[in-house]
Amino acid sequence: MKVAMLAPVAWRTPPEHYGPWESVTSLLTEGLVARGVDVTLFATLDSRTSARLEGVCPHGYAEDPSMDGRIWEALHVSHALAASERFDLLHSHLDWLPLAFAAHVRAPLVTTVHGFSDRRILPAYQRAGAAYVAISEADRAPGLDYVATVHHGVDLDDLPFRPDAGEHLVAFGRIHPDKGTAEAIAIAAATGRRLLICGIVQDEQYFAEQVEPHVDGDRVTYLGSVGPTRRAEVLGSAAVLLHPIAFAEPFGLSVVEAMSCGTPVVAYPRGSMPEVVDVGVTGYLPRDRDEAITAVTAAARLDRAAVRTRAAERFGSDRMVDDYLRVYQRILS
Protein backbone atom coordinates (compact mmCIF):
# COMPACT_ATOMS: atom_id res chain seq x y z
CA MET A 1 0.00 0.00 0.00
CA LYS A 2 1.36 3.41 -0.99
CA VAL A 3 -0.02 6.28 1.08
CA ALA A 4 0.49 10.01 0.55
CA MET A 5 0.18 11.76 3.92
CA LEU A 6 -0.70 15.44 3.51
CA ALA A 7 0.32 17.42 6.60
CA PRO A 8 -0.44 21.06 7.40
CA VAL A 9 2.41 23.50 6.84
CA ALA A 10 1.72 26.07 9.55
CA TRP A 11 4.35 24.28 11.64
CA ARG A 12 6.98 21.61 11.17
CA THR A 13 5.93 17.94 11.35
CA PRO A 14 6.27 17.04 14.17
CA PRO A 15 6.10 20.53 15.69
CA GLU A 16 8.82 21.89 17.93
CA HIS A 17 6.26 23.62 20.14
CA TYR A 18 2.59 24.08 19.21
CA GLY A 19 0.92 22.15 16.38
CA PRO A 20 -1.62 19.47 17.37
CA TRP A 21 -2.60 18.59 13.77
CA GLU A 22 1.06 18.19 12.85
CA SER A 23 1.65 16.08 15.96
CA VAL A 24 -1.09 13.61 15.08
CA THR A 25 -0.01 13.49 11.43
CA SER A 26 3.56 12.67 12.48
CA LEU A 27 2.54 9.98 14.94
CA LEU A 28 0.29 8.28 12.39
CA THR A 29 2.97 8.47 9.69
CA GLU A 30 5.63 6.91 11.91
CA GLY A 31 3.22 4.21 13.06
CA LEU A 32 2.32 3.27 9.50
CA VAL A 33 5.96 3.11 8.43
CA ALA A 34 6.66 0.82 11.40
CA ARG A 35 3.91 -1.48 10.07
CA GLY A 36 5.60 -1.67 6.68
CA VAL A 37 3.34 0.79 4.83
CA ASP A 38 5.03 2.81 2.08
CA VAL A 39 4.31 6.40 3.17
CA THR A 40 5.34 9.67 1.57
CA LEU A 41 4.87 12.63 3.90
CA PHE A 42 4.03 15.93 2.21
CA ALA A 43 5.04 18.52 4.80
CA THR A 44 7.46 21.38 5.42
CA LEU A 45 10.94 20.57 4.17
CA ASP A 46 12.43 20.83 7.67
CA SER A 47 10.11 18.07 8.94
CA ARG A 48 11.49 14.95 10.63
CA THR A 49 10.20 11.57 9.50
CA SER A 50 11.17 7.99 8.71
CA ALA A 51 8.84 8.17 5.70
CA ARG A 52 9.82 9.67 2.34
CA LEU A 53 9.58 13.45 2.67
CA GLU A 54 8.34 15.72 -0.12
CA GLY A 55 7.28 19.35 -0.11
CA VAL A 56 7.76 22.88 -1.33
CA CYS A 57 7.38 24.89 1.88
CA PRO A 58 10.79 25.40 3.54
CA HIS A 59 9.43 25.72 7.09
CA GLY A 60 6.24 26.52 8.95
CA TYR A 61 4.64 29.75 7.78
CA ALA A 62 3.31 30.46 11.28
CA GLU A 63 6.90 30.92 12.41
CA ASP A 64 7.87 33.32 9.62
CA PRO A 65 6.03 36.66 9.21
CA SER A 66 7.47 37.05 5.72
CA MET A 67 5.48 34.04 4.48
CA ASP A 68 1.83 34.30 3.41
CA GLY A 69 0.15 31.14 4.69
CA ARG A 70 -2.50 31.22 1.95
CA ILE A 71 0.13 31.12 -0.77
CA TRP A 72 2.23 28.39 0.79
CA GLU A 73 -0.75 26.19 1.60
CA ALA A 74 -1.94 26.49 -2.00
CA LEU A 75 1.50 25.60 -3.37
CA HIS A 76 1.76 22.72 -0.92
CA VAL A 77 -1.62 21.27 -1.84
CA SER A 78 -0.99 21.72 -5.56
CA HIS A 79 2.30 19.84 -5.31
CA ALA A 80 0.74 16.91 -3.45
CA LEU A 81 -2.31 16.61 -5.70
CA ALA A 82 -0.14 16.67 -8.82
CA ALA A 83 1.69 13.63 -7.45
CA SER A 84 -1.44 11.78 -6.32
CA GLU A 85 -1.47 9.28 -9.20
CA ARG A 86 1.62 7.66 -7.68
CA PHE A 87 -0.34 6.51 -4.61
CA ASP A 88 -3.10 4.11 -3.66
CA LEU A 89 -4.58 6.65 -1.27
CA LEU A 90 -4.09 10.28 -0.22
CA HIS A 91 -4.77 11.11 3.43
CA SER A 92 -5.24 14.83 4.15
CA HIS A 93 -4.88 16.45 7.57
CA LEU A 94 -5.37 19.94 6.21
CA ASP A 95 -8.47 22.07 6.49
CA TRP A 96 -10.82 22.64 3.54
CA LEU A 97 -8.36 23.63 0.78
CA PRO A 98 -7.56 20.17 -0.69
CA LEU A 99 -11.29 19.45 -0.86
CA ALA A 100 -11.85 22.34 -3.24
CA PHE A 101 -9.69 20.46 -5.74
CA ALA A 102 -10.85 16.94 -4.93
CA ALA A 103 -11.89 16.38 -8.55
CA HIS A 104 -8.22 16.57 -9.52
CA VAL A 105 -7.03 13.94 -7.02
CA ARG A 106 -6.05 10.76 -8.85
CA ALA A 107 -6.37 8.49 -5.81
CA PRO A 108 -9.04 7.95 -3.15
CA LEU A 109 -9.02 10.94 -0.77
CA VAL A 110 -9.34 10.46 2.99
CA THR A 111 -9.73 13.60 5.09
CA THR A 112 -9.37 13.68 8.86
CA VAL A 113 -11.49 16.58 10.05
CA HIS A 114 -9.46 18.07 12.91
CA GLY A 115 -12.32 20.32 13.91
CA PHE A 116 -14.00 22.94 11.73
CA SER A 117 -12.16 26.25 11.68
CA ASP A 118 -15.45 27.86 10.64
CA ARG A 119 -18.82 26.31 9.86
CA ARG A 120 -18.93 28.43 6.69
CA ILE A 121 -16.36 26.06 5.15
CA LEU A 122 -18.88 23.20 5.15
CA PRO A 123 -19.77 23.59 1.45
CA ALA A 124 -16.23 22.47 0.57
CA TYR A 125 -16.84 19.26 2.53
CA GLN A 126 -20.33 18.70 1.21
CA ARG A 127 -19.27 18.95 -2.43
CA ALA A 128 -15.95 17.10 -2.37
CA GLY A 129 -17.05 13.49 -2.01
CA ALA A 130 -14.03 12.54 0.08
CA ALA A 131 -14.04 9.90 2.81
CA TYR A 132 -14.28 11.80 6.09
CA VAL A 133 -12.91 10.70 9.44
CA ALA A 134 -14.16 12.45 12.57
CA ILE A 135 -11.88 12.81 15.59
CA SER A 136 -14.85 12.55 17.96
CA GLU A 137 -18.53 11.75 17.71
CA ALA A 138 -19.27 15.20 19.10
CA ASP A 139 -17.45 16.91 16.23
CA ARG A 140 -19.44 15.25 13.45
CA ALA A 141 -21.23 17.81 11.29
CA PRO A 142 -24.85 16.99 10.44
CA GLY A 143 -25.24 16.09 6.80
CA LEU A 144 -21.69 14.89 6.21
CA ASP A 145 -21.12 11.22 5.47
CA TYR A 146 -18.31 9.86 7.65
CA VAL A 147 -16.46 6.62 7.11
CA ALA A 148 -15.35 6.38 10.76
CA THR A 149 -14.59 8.16 14.00
CA VAL A 150 -10.98 7.76 15.09
CA HIS A 151 -9.89 9.26 18.38
CA HIS A 152 -6.36 10.62 18.39
CA GLY A 153 -3.57 8.53 19.84
CA VAL A 154 -0.44 9.56 21.72
CA ASP A 155 3.06 8.15 22.04
CA LEU A 156 3.03 6.60 25.49
CA ASP A 157 6.82 6.33 25.50
CA ASP A 158 7.03 10.11 25.29
CA LEU A 159 4.53 10.47 28.16
CA PRO A 160 5.90 8.30 30.98
CA PHE A 161 3.78 7.55 34.03
CA ARG A 162 4.38 9.84 37.02
CA PRO A 163 3.11 8.08 40.18
CA ASP A 164 3.80 11.08 42.39
CA ALA A 165 2.81 14.65 41.66
CA GLY A 166 2.91 18.07 43.20
CA GLU A 167 -0.04 19.94 44.67
CA HIS A 168 -0.22 22.45 41.83
CA LEU A 169 -2.58 22.50 38.85
CA VAL A 170 -1.83 22.99 35.17
CA ALA A 171 -3.73 24.57 32.27
CA PHE A 172 -2.27 23.48 28.95
CA GLY A 173 -3.39 24.93 25.62
CA ARG A 174 -3.57 28.04 23.50
CA ILE A 175 -4.34 31.22 25.45
CA HIS A 176 -7.80 32.04 24.16
CA PRO A 177 -11.28 32.52 25.66
CA ASP A 178 -12.33 29.19 24.11
CA LYS A 179 -9.80 27.36 26.26
CA GLY A 180 -10.89 29.07 29.48
CA THR A 181 -7.47 30.18 30.69
CA ALA A 182 -8.92 32.93 32.90
CA GLU A 183 -11.49 30.46 34.22
CA ALA A 184 -8.67 28.09 35.18
CA ILE A 185 -6.99 30.92 37.09
CA ALA A 186 -10.20 31.55 39.05
CA ILE A 187 -10.68 27.85 39.83
CA ALA A 188 -7.09 27.45 40.99
CA ALA A 189 -7.31 30.53 43.21
CA ALA A 190 -10.48 29.23 44.86
CA THR A 191 -8.81 25.88 45.62
CA GLY A 192 -5.73 27.56 47.08
CA ARG A 193 -3.45 25.73 44.65
CA ARG A 194 -0.73 27.12 42.43
CA LEU A 195 -1.34 27.11 38.66
CA LEU A 196 1.04 26.60 35.76
CA ILE A 197 -0.17 27.91 32.40
CA CYS A 198 1.34 26.67 29.14
CA GLY A 199 0.49 27.55 25.55
CA ILE A 200 0.87 30.01 22.73
CA VAL A 201 -0.92 33.35 23.08
CA GLN A 202 -3.60 33.25 20.39
CA ASP A 203 -5.65 36.20 21.69
CA GLU A 204 -3.35 39.04 22.73
CA GLN A 205 -6.08 41.24 24.22
CA TYR A 206 -7.49 38.38 26.28
CA PHE A 207 -4.01 37.55 27.56
CA ALA A 208 -3.24 41.18 28.44
CA GLU A 209 -6.54 41.86 30.19
CA GLN A 210 -7.57 38.58 31.81
CA VAL A 211 -4.48 36.41 32.16
CA GLU A 212 -1.28 38.43 32.47
CA PRO A 213 -2.42 40.57 35.45
CA HIS A 214 -2.66 37.38 37.53
CA VAL A 215 0.75 36.02 36.53
CA ASP A 216 3.08 36.62 39.47
CA GLY A 217 5.54 33.76 39.12
CA ASP A 218 4.27 32.25 42.36
CA ARG A 219 0.55 31.54 42.56
CA VAL A 220 0.23 31.75 38.77
CA THR A 221 3.16 31.02 36.46
CA TYR A 222 3.13 31.31 32.68
CA LEU A 223 5.68 29.04 30.99
CA GLY A 224 4.94 30.03 27.40
CA SER A 225 4.75 27.46 24.64
CA VAL A 226 6.01 24.16 26.03
CA GLY A 227 7.33 21.80 23.39
CA PRO A 228 7.43 17.99 23.31
CA THR A 229 10.61 17.69 25.39
CA ARG A 230 9.02 19.39 28.42
CA ARG A 231 5.39 18.40 27.92
CA ALA A 232 5.56 15.17 29.93
CA GLU A 233 7.39 16.86 32.79
CA VAL A 234 4.90 19.70 33.04
CA LEU A 235 1.78 17.57 32.66
CA GLY A 236 3.01 14.66 34.77
CA SER A 237 4.13 16.79 37.71
CA ALA A 238 0.70 18.37 38.24
CA ALA A 239 -1.98 17.14 40.60
CA VAL A 240 -4.76 17.89 38.09
CA LEU A 241 -5.12 19.33 34.58
CA LEU A 242 -7.75 22.07 34.36
CA HIS A 243 -9.62 22.26 31.05
CA PRO A 244 -12.59 24.61 31.65
CA ILE A 245 -13.38 25.15 28.00
CA ALA A 246 -15.97 27.57 26.67
CA PHE A 247 -16.48 25.89 23.29
CA ALA A 248 -17.23 22.48 21.83
CA GLU A 249 -13.78 20.91 21.98
CA PRO A 250 -13.23 18.72 18.89
CA PHE A 251 -10.91 16.37 20.78
CA GLY A 252 -8.52 17.80 23.41
CA LEU A 253 -5.06 16.33 22.86
CA SER A 254 -3.59 17.85 26.03
CA VAL A 255 -6.29 16.09 28.07
CA VAL A 256 -5.19 12.69 26.78
CA GLU A 257 -1.51 13.59 27.17
CA ALA A 258 -2.07 14.50 30.82
CA MET A 259 -4.01 11.31 31.53
CA SER A 260 -1.26 9.28 29.87
CA CYS A 261 1.16 10.64 32.49
CA GLY A 262 -1.30 9.65 35.22
CA THR A 263 -2.62 13.17 35.79
CA PRO A 264 -6.42 13.32 36.18
CA VAL A 265 -8.50 15.97 34.45
CA VAL A 266 -11.19 18.42 35.47
CA ALA A 267 -12.92 19.66 32.31
CA TYR A 268 -16.20 21.29 31.43
CA PRO A 269 -18.42 18.76 29.58
CA ARG A 270 -18.42 20.44 26.19
CA GLY A 271 -17.72 18.88 22.82
CA SER A 272 -15.70 15.67 23.01
CA MET A 273 -14.98 15.77 26.74
CA PRO A 274 -17.68 13.21 27.71
CA GLU A 275 -16.12 10.84 25.15
CA VAL A 276 -12.56 11.36 26.35
CA VAL A 277 -12.84 11.61 30.15
CA ASP A 278 -14.08 8.56 32.09
CA VAL A 279 -15.80 10.15 35.07
CA GLY A 280 -14.52 8.84 38.37
CA VAL A 281 -11.60 7.04 36.71
CA THR A 282 -9.60 9.60 34.74
CA GLY A 283 -11.26 12.78 35.96
CA TYR A 284 -14.49 14.71 36.37
CA LEU A 285 -16.78 16.87 34.21
CA PRO A 286 -18.22 19.64 36.40
CA ARG A 287 -20.79 21.94 34.87
CA ASP A 288 -19.61 25.23 36.36
CA ARG A 289 -16.94 26.88 38.47
CA ASP A 290 -18.40 25.90 41.84
CA GLU A 291 -18.57 22.25 40.82
CA ALA A 292 -15.07 22.48 39.36
CA ILE A 293 -13.62 23.71 42.65
CA THR A 294 -15.03 20.65 44.40
CA ALA A 295 -14.00 18.37 41.54
CA VAL A 296 -10.33 19.36 41.83
CA THR A 297 -10.13 17.84 45.31
CA ALA A 298 -11.86 14.66 44.15
CA ALA A 299 -9.71 14.35 41.04
CA ALA A 300 -6.49 14.77 43.00
CA ARG A 301 -7.48 11.70 45.03
CA LEU A 302 -7.93 9.44 42.00
CA ASP A 303 -5.58 6.52 41.47
CA ARG A 304 -2.94 7.86 39.08
CA ALA A 305 -1.99 4.34 37.98
CA ALA A 306 -5.60 3.70 36.98
CA VAL A 307 -5.65 7.00 35.08
CA ARG A 308 -2.59 5.93 33.11
CA THR A 309 -3.92 2.43 32.45
CA ARG A 310 -7.23 3.69 31.09
CA ALA A 311 -5.51 6.30 28.92
CA ALA A 312 -3.11 3.70 27.53
CA GLU A 313 -5.97 1.34 26.72
CA ARG A 314 -8.02 3.96 24.91
CA PHE A 315 -5.51 6.38 23.43
CA GLY A 316 -2.26 4.60 22.67
CA SER A 317 -0.88 5.34 19.21
CA ASP A 318 -1.08 1.66 18.18
CA ARG A 319 -4.86 1.78 18.50
CA MET A 320 -5.00 4.87 16.31
CA VAL A 321 -2.83 3.23 13.64
CA ASP A 322 -5.02 0.12 13.74
CA ASP A 323 -8.13 2.23 13.29
CA TYR A 324 -6.73 4.08 10.29
CA LEU A 325 -5.53 0.89 8.64
CA ARG A 326 -9.10 -0.39 8.87
CA VAL A 327 -10.31 2.83 7.27
CA TYR A 328 -7.80 2.46 4.44
CA GLN A 329 -8.70 -1.17 3.84
CA ARG A 330 -12.40 -0.36 3.79
CA ILE A 331 -11.91 2.39 1.21
CA LEU A 332 -9.57 0.38 -1.02
CA SER A 333 -11.79 -2.66 -0.97
Side-chain angles (χ1 to χ4, degrees), residues 219-279:
R219 304 308 301 173
V220 179
T221 301
Y222 175 52
L223 299 180
S225 180
V226 173
T229 56
R230 291 192 63 197
R231 183 172 292 130
E233 172 194 349
V234 171
L235 291 173
S237 65
V240 175
L241 172 78
L242 292 180
H243 200 63
I245 49 175
F247 79 125
E249 179 75 81
F251 182 74
L253 199 57
S254 63
V255 170
V256 171
E257 291 171 335
M259 296 189 304
S260 298
C261 296
T263 300
V265 173
V266 170
Y268 286 169
R270 296 187 170 98
S272 65
M273 289 299 97
E275 293 176 52
V276 174
V277 178
D278 292 304
V279 174

Side-chain angles (χ1 to χ4, degrees), residues 39-328:
V39 183
T40 297
L41 175 65
F42 289 85
T44 61
L45 290 173
D46 63 343
S47 294
R48 303 289 185 266
T49 181
S50 59
R52 187 180 298 104
L53 177 64
E54 288 194 29
V56 294
C57 191
H59 49 259
Y61 65 76
E63 303 172 276
D64 186 347
S66 72
M67 298 176 70
D68 187 322
R70 297 170 303 171
I71 300 300
W72 286 100
E73 278 196 346
L75 292 173
H76 173 61
V77 169
S78 175
H79 175 69
L81 298 194
S84 60
E85 64 183 357
R86 293 162 29 202
F87 302 98
D88 298 312
L89 181 145
L90 190 152
H91 187 169
S92 173
H93 294 267
L94 277 171
D95 209 1
W96 63 271
L97 186 57
L99 299 172
F101 304 97
H104 304 286
V105 181
R106 298 177 182 88
L109 175 61
V110 179
T111 298
T112 293
V113 186
H114 289 266
F116 292 96
S117 57
D118 190 315
R119 291 284 164 171
R120 291 175 296 180
I121 68 176
L122 273 172
Y125 290 81
Q126 293 164 341
R127 296 177 185 181
Y132 298 119
V133 175
I135 60 174
S136 68
E137 292 293 323
D139 197 54
R140 287 185 173 227
L144 279 192
D145 187 17
Y146 292 85
V147 67
T149 294
V150 177
H151 287 151
H152 290 332
V154 296
D155 188 338
L156 297 170
D157 291 335
D158 287 345
L159 298 161
F161 173 55
R162 287 285 295 266
D164 50 351
E167 293 296 316
H168 67 276
L169 310 176
V170 64
F172 200 105
R174 54 194 170 89
I175 312 301
H176 188 279
D178 283 350
K179 290 291 189 177
T181 316
E183 182 74 356
I185 292 172
I187 293 168
T191 65
R193 293 175 183 260
R194 293 171 53 243
L195 177 68
L196 296 183
I197 300 172
C198 310
I200 63 169
V201 177
Q202 198 170 58
D203 187 319
E204 295 282 355
Q205 182 176 355
Y206 175 72
F207 178 75
E209 295 177 356
Q210 299 192 47
V211 177
E212 193 171 27
H214 300 280
V215 176
D216 59 5
D218 178 25
R219 304 308 301 173
V220 179
T221 301
Y222 175 52
L223 299 180
S225 180
V226 173
T229 56
R230 291 192 63 197
R231 183 172 292 130
E233 172 194 349
V234 171
L235 291 173
S237 65
V240 175
L241 172 78
L242 292 180
H243 200 63
I245 49 175
F247 79 125
E249 179 75 81
F251 182 74
L253 199 57
S254 63
V255 170
V256 171
E257 291 171 335
M259 296 189 304
S260 298
C261 296
T263 300
V265 173
V266 170
Y268 286 169
R270 296 187 170 98
S272 65
M273 289 299 97
E275 293 176 52
V276 174
V277 178
D278 292 304
V279 174
V281 179
T282 60
Y284 291 95
L285 298 172
R287 293 168 295 180
D288 54 33
R289 186 183 300 178
D290 288 341
E291 288 188 5
I293 293 165
T294 302
V296 166
T297 301
R301 292 173 179 162
L302 290 173
D303 183 345
R304 292 179 68 89
V307 175
R308 162 72 174 198
T309 298
R310 184 63 61 87
E313 290 171 350
R314 297 191 59 204
F315 302 111
S317 60
D318 283 345
R319 189 273 310 153
M320 178 178 69
V321 174
D322 287 341
D323 287 351
Y324 274 114
L325 282 172
R326 281 190 285 269
V327 169
Y328 296 167

